[in-house]
Amino acid sequence: MTPDPVHADTAPFTTADYAARMAAAAQSAADAGLAGLLIAPGPDLTHLTGYRPVDTERLTLLVLAAGQDPVLVVPALEAPDAAKAPGAGALTLRDWTDGKNPYGITAPLLDVTGRFGVSDNTWALHLLGLQGELPTTSYTPLTDALPMLRAVKDERELARLAAAGEAADAAYAQILHVPFAGRRESDVAADLADLLRVHGHSQVDFTVVGSGPNGANPHHEAGERVIERGDMVVLDFGGLKHGYGSDISRTVHVGEPTPEEQRVHDVVREAQQAGFAAVRPGAACQDVDRAARAVITEFGYGERFIHRTGHGIGVTTHEPPYMIEGEEQPLLPGMCFSVEPGIYLPDRFGVRIEDIVTVTEDGGRRLNNAPREMAIVD
């Protein structure tokens, strides 16, 4: 197996890149009527600073507010690592030592009566600690306050997502040549994980292998079931390459499918194409869901499409925006998300086809180009 080449346009982000992101986030917070943002370790902190600390009971918190320099509060023993982060040159580090009150150190950075957007994964321990110091402050999760904070990708982010998509496509092309029949789902899942790493993934997040009746569970975890001839097999896999996500689903068949199995697969493929065709600037997220769902409903399987049509992707494999009924957020150029309709027939089989798509100036572009026709495997 030969690893794919490194893309020239996936060079590391610079301090200036992170400075621009932090400034834009602070301004977005002000525009939303917030006093600022409080960013704990996790995808938001990675996106804004390039820093990926271990998330522990010791407080690490990025404080952003329009008109103020960014400040990263860190434990003293982790300050040397924080200072090496790609975005460290665009912020001020303020460390605290064990035995000191980190919330008392952080409190002077905040408006005492302000309302702050808080990253979704912030520990309750830390938020309650801040509230104890500043009882007149209030907080709202970023999913509610600024759900599109990371949604629109720039050209260099798109290049990373494209490279991750190409790697997932290459892994799929190779998995079609491994044996399926007579092997456990977990064996094929391990092959998929290995192939993702061969093609440059630093992190494998999931390798769903749902054979036969297990394919009717959209998030089935590959287990000990032995794949049999005549099985439909749902493959859904992805992870991170160059810090950005891949996520692809294809459904294959071990040996020749029955007419019904082929028909269900064809319906899902048509629905996936309809969802993709609905992608354009200004369309609502729900329009993508409606387009895909309408096809499946037309063919009588509406009740068997049991999840949203898509989710955003970036520094995590699942993030806003979501392609679901009721989501009226307009699509904007640079947004990236999955289009992944499915049909799930309990105790029998399932079918899902998924690509990552980005919104362009006049429509959409797929970041996965692996064949969508049903592949026959051995």
Side-chain angles (χ1 to χ4, degrees):
M1 298 178 184
T2 303
D4 58 346
V6 175
H7 288 236
D9 49 4
T10 53
F13 295 116
T14 66
T15 298
D17 293 326
Y18 290 111
R21 290 180 189 177
M22 286 188 280
Q27 187 57 55
S28 294
D31 294 343
L34 299 172
L37 302 178
L38 306 178
I39 309 297
D44 293 319
L45 187 64
T46 300
H47 172 72
L48 292 167
T49 69
Y51 184 40
R52 295 175 179 265
V54 176
D55 194 7
T56 72
E57 76 284 357
R58 290 186 172 96
L59 178 70
T60 295
L61 197 69
L62 175 67
V63 180
L64 296 177
Q68 296 179 203
D69 291 337
V71 177
L72 181 62
V73 178
V74 295
L77 76 170
E78 295 172 10
D81 288 335
K84 297 175 185 176
L91 52 78
T92 298
L93 288 177
R94 182 167 297 185
D95 62 18
W96 60 277
T97 56
D98 285 352
K100 302 292 185 181
N101 176 7
Y103 312 111
I105 291 169
T106 307
L109 302 173
L110 309 185
D111 180 340
V112 297
T113 60
R115 182 168 180 78
F116 292 86
V118 181
S119 50
D120 295 356
N121 54 311
T122 305
W123 283 31
L125 170 71
H126 299 319
L127 195 57
L128 292 170
L130 285 174
Q131 285 183 314
E133 294 291 327
L134 299 170
T136 55
T137 53
S138 59
Y139 306 91
T140 185
L142 285 187
T143 287
D144 294 338
L146 293 176
M148 298 299 112
L149 179 65
R150 306 195 313 264
V152 176
K153 275 64 178 180
D154 62 28
E155 288 301 318
R156 294 176 65 201
E157 290 180 293
L158 289 173
R160 284 164 167 75
L161 286 161
E166 289 172 10
D169 286 352
Y172 174 69
Q174 289 183 266
I175 202 67
L176 298 180
H177 299 289
V178 308
F180 277 69
R183 301 177 71 213
R184 297 171 301 177
E185 293 173 337
S186 58
D187 296 330
V188 177
D191 289 341
L192 280 170
D194 289 344
L195 286 168
L196 285 173
R197 293 188 183 98
V198 163
H199 290 286
H201 279 59
S202 60
Q203 178 177 312
V204 176
D205 288 342
F206 50 90
T207 50
V208 173
V209 179
S211 64
N214 289 340
N217 175 0
H219 280 177
H220 171 70
E221 292 190 13
E224 298 305 298
R225 184 181 185 276
V226 175
I227 301 169
E228 303 173 356
R229 294 198 66 80
D231 278 348
M232 193 84 89
V233 185
V234 177
L235 305 174
D236 183 353
F237 52 99
L240 299 181
K241 176 174 180 174
H242 301 306
Y244 281 74
S246 67
D247 189 357
I248 184 174
S249 297
R250 294 291 186 268
T251 303
V252 304
H253 200 276
V254 187
E256 292 297 322
T258 66
E260 181 192 17
E261 289 169 332
Q262 185 64 63
R263 181 172 63 253
V264 171
H265 192 280
D266 289 345
V267 170
V268 173
R269 185 154 63 98
E270 183 176 336
Q272 208 267 350
Q273 174 60 32
F276 170 69
V279 176
R280 62 185 183 278
C285 290
Q286 67 181 2
D287 293 341
V288 178
D289 182 83
R290 288 174 175 177
R293 201 168 298 275
V295 173
I296 291 176
T297 300
E298 177 187 352
F299 284 92
Y301 295 102
E303 293 184 357
R304 300 305 181 193
F305 181 10
I306 56 177
H307 55 73
R308 65 197 175 201
T309 294
H311 58 81
I313 191 168
V315 292
T316 61
T317 48
H318 281 210
E319 62 184 47
Y322 299 105
M323 307 302 114
I324 185 64
E325 180 66 32
E327 179 53 78
E328 298 179 350
Q329 166 66 42
L331 298 180
L332 302 171
M335 285 183 173
C336 296
F337 48 85
S338 65
V339 178
E340 52 177 306
I343 293 175
Y344 307 93
L345 304 180
D347 302 319
R348 299 185 62 206
F349 64 88
V351 176
R352 183 165 63 257
I353 301 173
E354 172 186 17
D355 292 326
I356 298 302
V357 172
T358 185
V359 184
T360 64
E361 293 296 334
D362 56 3
R365 175 169 64 96
R366 297 181 192 266
L367 300 186
N368 292 109
N369 292 291
R372 294 167 199 89
E373 297 79 11
M374 188 193 301
I376 307 301
V377 296
D378 294 326

